[in-house]
């Protein structure tokens, strides 16, 4: 059984998918005296699986504030997936001091394999995070929603427009190309098919893949596949589709850039990523202090989310929905937006993703 999201719906508690070069972690920043009393120096090489707007937002806000406070720079190493990290950890070649794992299942696998250090709670104030959004080896970040999106020039919001997953699969009422992610785990592709076919949210997992692919087959000729968050919006902007599933933060960026896009959160997908410190991190002391800084910097959290509506950390007790600008709130997985949202089942994907991805790729290629 898998229930609809309830944790973020009560966001007095939060109160809020992407692509690569290794550099040395021995930077030349001056030593800085942290509030917890430890001297930190050098650089933090950040294994970044998001990149793009997320990195730019972090570099402008939370990371910039940390560097100003400590003199320690955060250096970006963009990687599309977690594969390179796992290979490095397995071979004892870890150059990163902070890793952005794109899913809870990735984080759990890394922890199970012994690739992650424990969070030092004498430094990192996890008590300022909502219970259930952190573990011994990581904090949840970058909450993102997988939402139905459409071009409002094609379907104005004050007229009949797509609102549900049934609408996504109704090519008669809403003709044209659909944009979907060519990966089963992060795009809500299989889940949307099952929900459109009448599967209840509580019965969504384990996925009935045969039923999902059968439903997807009804729109396969009308699907344009995207492989990155940037490409999903480019597909809308270049007219490849007027309807599809995108990550809410990408839709927000498109709207801020003037593209006519709106989203529906009705049974949208919801997932978190994880920041963790590798077990063999070259600068773990600085990484622990960075986590502390990010958690305590509520102004920086709001500033970051004002650029990219995927607040970091995922659920801070010190930040409320009303703290975010009004034009951002419709794109945040918080408050009313999440009343019917459904949590992606990370445990299911941890156990099944290899086989599921192979099945998905073979179906797409048919």
């Amino acid at each position: 059984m898998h229930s609809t999201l309830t944790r973020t719906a009560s966001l007095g508690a939060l109160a809020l998918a992407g692509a690569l070069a290794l550099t040395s972690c021995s930077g030349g920043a001056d030593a800085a005296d942290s509030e917890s009393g430890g001297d930190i120096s050098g650089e933090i090489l950040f294994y970044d699986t998001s990149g793009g707007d997320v990195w730019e937002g972090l570099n402008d806000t939370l990371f910039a504030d940390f560097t100003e406070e400590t003199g320690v720079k955060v250096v970006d190493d963009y990687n599309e997936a977690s594969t390179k990290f796992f290979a490095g950890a397995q071979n004892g070649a870890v150059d990163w001091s902070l890793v952005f794992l794109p899913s809870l299942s990735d984080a759990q696998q890394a922890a199970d394999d012994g690739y992650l250090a424990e969070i030092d709670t004498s430094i990192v104030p996890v008590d300022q995070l909502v219970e259930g959004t952190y573990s011994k080896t990581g904090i949840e970040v970058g909450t993102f929603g997988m939402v139905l999106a459409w071009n409002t020039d094609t379907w104005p919001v004050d007229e009949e427009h797509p609102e549900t997953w049934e609408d996504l699969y109704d090519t008669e009422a809403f003709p044209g190309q659909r944009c979907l992610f060519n990966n089963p785990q992060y795009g809500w592709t299989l889940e949307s098919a099952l929900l459109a076919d009448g599967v209840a949210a509580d019965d969504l997992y384990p996925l009935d893949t045969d039923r999902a692919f059968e439903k997807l087959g009804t729109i396969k000729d009308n699907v344009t596949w995207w492989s990155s968050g940037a490409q999903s919006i480019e597909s809308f902007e270049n007219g490849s589709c007027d309807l599809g599933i995108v990550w809410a933060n990408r839709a927000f960026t498109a709207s801020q850039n003037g593209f006519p896009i709106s989203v529906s959160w009705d049974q949208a997908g919801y997932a978190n990523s994880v920041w963790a410190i590798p077990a063999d991190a070259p600068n773990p002391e600085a990484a622990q202090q960075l986590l502390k800084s990010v958690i305590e910097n509520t102004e920086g959290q709001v500033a970051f989310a004002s650029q990219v509506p995927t607040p970091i950390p995922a659920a801070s007790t010190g930040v409320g929905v009303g703290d975010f600008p009004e034009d951002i709130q419709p794109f945040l997985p918080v408050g009313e937006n999440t009343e019917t949202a459904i949590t992606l089942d990370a445990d299911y994907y941890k156990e099944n993703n290899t086989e599921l991805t192979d099945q998905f790729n073979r179906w797409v290629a048919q």
Side-chain angles (χ1 to χ4, degrees), residues 14-74:
L14 166 75
L16 190 314
L20 298 217
L22 294 178
T23 61
S24 171
C25 287
S26 57
D30 293 333
D33 190 14
S34 73
E35 288 185 10
S36 67
D39 287 341
I40 57 174
S41 61
E43 294 178 345
I44 294 173
L45 185 61
F46 178 48
Y47 187 102
D48 178 13
T49 54
S50 187
D53 294 334
V54 174
W55 164 251
E56 291 178 10
L58 288 169
N59 197 39
D60 289 343
T61 60
L62 291 164
F63 287 174
D65 291 344
F66 173 72
T67 298
E68 183 177 357
E69 293 167 2
T70 67
V72 176
K73 294 182 179 179
V74 183

Side-chain angles (χ1 to χ4, degrees), residues 17-19 49-50 78-81 178-184 186-187 189 223-235 245-247 250 360-361 364:
T49 54
S50 187
Y78 176 63
N79 295 272
E80 185 175 4
R178 278 84 168 124
C179 290
L180 302 178
F181 190 27
N182 65 350
N183 183 301
Y186 307 121
T189 307
V223 172
T224 297
W225 298 101
W226 54 268
S227 59
S228 71
Q231 190 181 55
S232 70
I233 297 304
E234 289 169 4
S235 297
I245 305 174
V246 301
W247 297 324
R250 294 290 182 170
F360 182 87
N361 290 339
V364 171

Side-chain angles (χ1 to χ4, degrees), residues 178-236:
R178 278 84 168 124
C179 290
L180 302 178
F181 190 27
N182 65 350
N183 183 301
Q185 183 169 6
Y186 307 121
W188 212 239
T189 307
L190 298 176
E191 287 89 344
S192 71
L194 292 170
L195 292 165
D197 204 43
V199 175
D202 285 350
D203 298 328
L204 191 55
Y205 297 101
L207 299 177
D208 184 338
T209 55
D210 289 342
R211 183 172 176 178
F213 285 119
E214 183 177 357
K215 185 66 175 180
L216 277 167
T218 65
I219 62 168
K220 189 174 185 180
D221 292 341
N222 299 95
V223 172
T224 297
W225 298 101
W226 54 268
S227 59
S228 71
Q231 190 181 55
S232 70
I233 297 304
E234 289 169 4
S235 297
F236 274 84

Side-chain angles (χ1 to χ4, degrees), residues 28 66 102 115 127 160-161 164 166 178 200 202 211 223 227 280 302 318-319 324 328 332 356:
F66 173 72
Y115 296 157
D127 59 323
E160 184 179 6
H161 60 266
T164 67
E166 288 88 344
R178 278 84 168 124
D202 285 350
R211 183 172 176 178
V223 172
S227 59
D280 297 327
V302 172
V319 182
F324 298 101
I328 294 172
L332 292 170
L356 189 59

Side-chain angles (χ1 to χ4, degrees), residues 24 26 40 49 73 75 79 89 101 113-114 167 203 254 261 268 285 308 312 324 331:
S24 171
S26 57
I40 57 174
T49 54
K73 294 182 179 179
V75 179
N79 295 272
L101 295 164
D113 291 342
D167 295 336
D203 298 328
I261 194 169
E285 298 86 359
V308 183
I312 291 175
F324 298 101
F331 297 92

Side-chain angles (χ1 to χ4, degrees), residues 341-353:
I342 303 167
T343 312
L344 183 144
D345 191 328
D347 290 336
Y348 170 81
Y349 278 103
K350 180 175 179 245
E351 296 297 325
N352 297 280
N353 195 47

